[in-house]
Amino acid sequence: MSNPGGVILDIEKIAIIANKAKIPLIVDNTMASPYLIQPFEWGADIITHSLTKFVGGHGNSMGGIVIESGKFDWFLSGKYPSMTKPTKSYHGLIFAETFGDFGYSMKLRADSLRDLGSTLSPTNAFYFINGLETLHLRMERHCENALKVAKFLEQHKKVLWVSYAGLKNSKYHTLAKKYMSKGVGPVFTFGLKGGDEAGKKIINQVKIFSHVANVGDTRSLILHPASTTHNQLSDNQKIAAGAGPEVIRLSIGIEHHKDLIADLKYALASI
Ligand SMILES: Cc1ncc(COP(=O)(O)O)c(C=O)c1O
């Protein structure tokens, strides 16, 4: 699932194409979290997550994770010499041969981690493990809340459109039903009448939503990409990036949905 457009990838079909081409399918599953989608079940070979989002869940730590299925045959195509040929700096060790189904993980540890130093701090690791224990509870509430907020926005007269795969009129609704039977997550965009000015205004009016560029926090977050994260782009580039002047991105938290809806209702009334 993409951030933030609500696009759901047809993983199973892409996996068939990747498999034929003998290339590993790598899925960034950050937005769904392992609770909502398990891409290995649909043929992915490698999964990545920004733990900074749902896994941690509290916006208090930064980290990432790479998980391999162990099923990808690195030798088949001859396209991956760094996995299948001797590595000079490790006395001729061949990652895919020596470590078999965890060869890629070992390569990341021995090469990338060593060279780039991207080691998780013990404190952040502690926060992530704590966060993981409540992932299933948080995701259930996130999804429940998001659907209620999306339905509220969908019928509001100052809202042009809502892009949320949980809504029946979304073009990704069918894929959502196939891949995400437990819910489609809490991050989505909507279009506001009144463009840039209205976008900035709503950000300043909300009281419960925080104006933060992260996603996946327990707290609800709101962003007007055109005047913040995508501000440096030209108007045409903003539109092409899905960050036109009317676009607002929400990451719905685990507060009470009535408070969130009341907050948005109040902010929308100011436009
Ligand atoms: C889908 C997705 N993957 C990965 C990342 C990278 O996350 P981090 O900031 O933890 O490196 C982001 C950040 O927004 C994201 O949205």
Side-chain angles (χ1 to χ4, degrees):
M1 193 162 71
S2 75
N3 174 15
V7 177
I8 296 179
L9 183 77
D10 199 340
I11 309 175
E12 194 174 27
K13 283 193 184 152
I14 308 280
I16 292 168
I17 296 168
N19 197 265
K20 272 193 198 146
K22 304 186 184 73
I23 57 174
L25 175 62
I26 304 178
V27 174
D28 178 344
N29 199 32
T30 299
M31 302 307 286
S33 90
Y35 181 70
L36 298 179
I37 302 185
Q38 301 194 331
F40 287 154
E41 287 179 7
W42 302 102
D45 298 295
I46 292 166
I47 302 172
T48 67
H49 286 274
S50 163
L51 300 174
T52 313
K53 283 44 178 204
F54 296 103
V55 172
H58 296 74
N60 57 10
S61 24
M62 286 181 73
I65 193 167
V66 180
I67 310 138
E68 69 180 311
S69 72
K71 292 186 183 146
F72 185 73
D73 187 343
W74 298 98
F75 290 97
L76 208 58
S77 68
K79 287 176 185 169
Y80 305 102
S82 68
M83 286 296 296
T84 59
K85 299 272 190 251
T87 307
K88 264 194 204 151
S89 60
Y90 280 101
H91 311 290
L93 176 148
I94 299 172
F95 282 102
E97 188 182 86
T98 307
F99 300 109
D101 61 5
F102 61 107
Y104 186 67
S105 308
M106 289 308 285
K107 181 172 172 51
L108 288 184
R109 277 197 198 187
D111 272 9
S112 312
L113 203 75
R114 180 197 63 187
D115 294 349
L116 302 175
S118 48
T119 313
L120 196 60
S121 84
T123 315
N124 281 3
F126 170 73
Y127 287 143
F128 288 136
I129 287 175
N130 267 355
L132 199 56
E133 287 178 11
T134 55
L135 176 69
H136 60 300
L137 296 173
R138 286 184 283 111
M139 288 315 280
E140 276 173 13
R141 179 69 171 247
H142 276 303
C143 294
E144 217 178 280
N145 275 357
L147 187 58
K148 285 177 179 152
V149 173
K151 282 184 175 166
F152 158 75
L153 289 171
E154 193 183 30
Q155 52 71 43
H156 198 284
K157 61 180 189 305
K158 290 181 184 164
V159 171
L160 292 167
W161 50 263
V162 180
S163 173
Y164 185 57
L167 295 175
K168 286 200 179 87
N169 65 4
S170 161
K171 62 178 171 183
Y172 297 104
H173 192 64
T174 312
L175 284 175
K177 281 210 276 199
K178 172 175 174 181
Y179 290 108
M180 308 184 78
S181 57
K182 289 190 248 176
V184 299
V187 180
F188 65 92
T189 51
F190 69 93
L192 200 55
K193 283 184 191 163
D196 229 40
E197 280 313 305
K200 286 183 204 160
K201 203 160 186 185
I202 193 174
I203 302 288
N204 288 321
Q205 290 295 329
V206 286
K207 299 272 183 278
I208 296 176
F209 280 80
S210 303
H211 186 201
V212 171
N214 195 25
V215 294
D217 278 19
T218 49
R219 290 149 294 214
S220 290
L221 314 175
I222 189 165
L223 192 74
H224 180 233
S227 61
T228 53
T229 51
H230 292 63
N231 194 30
Q232 77 280 17
L233 302 183
S234 70
D235 288 352
N236 283 342
Q237 286 171 325
K238 283 179 189 169
I239 291 165
E246 83 284 12
V247 179
I248 299 286
R249 184 185 79 178
L250 299 178
S251 174
I252 303 295
I254 61 171
E255 305 93 336
H256 199 287
H257 68 271
K258 282 188 182 166
D259 289 331
L260 300 176
I261 290 173
D263 199 27
L264 289 171
K265 207 182 234 176
Y266 166 79
L268 285 164
S270 73
I271 296 168

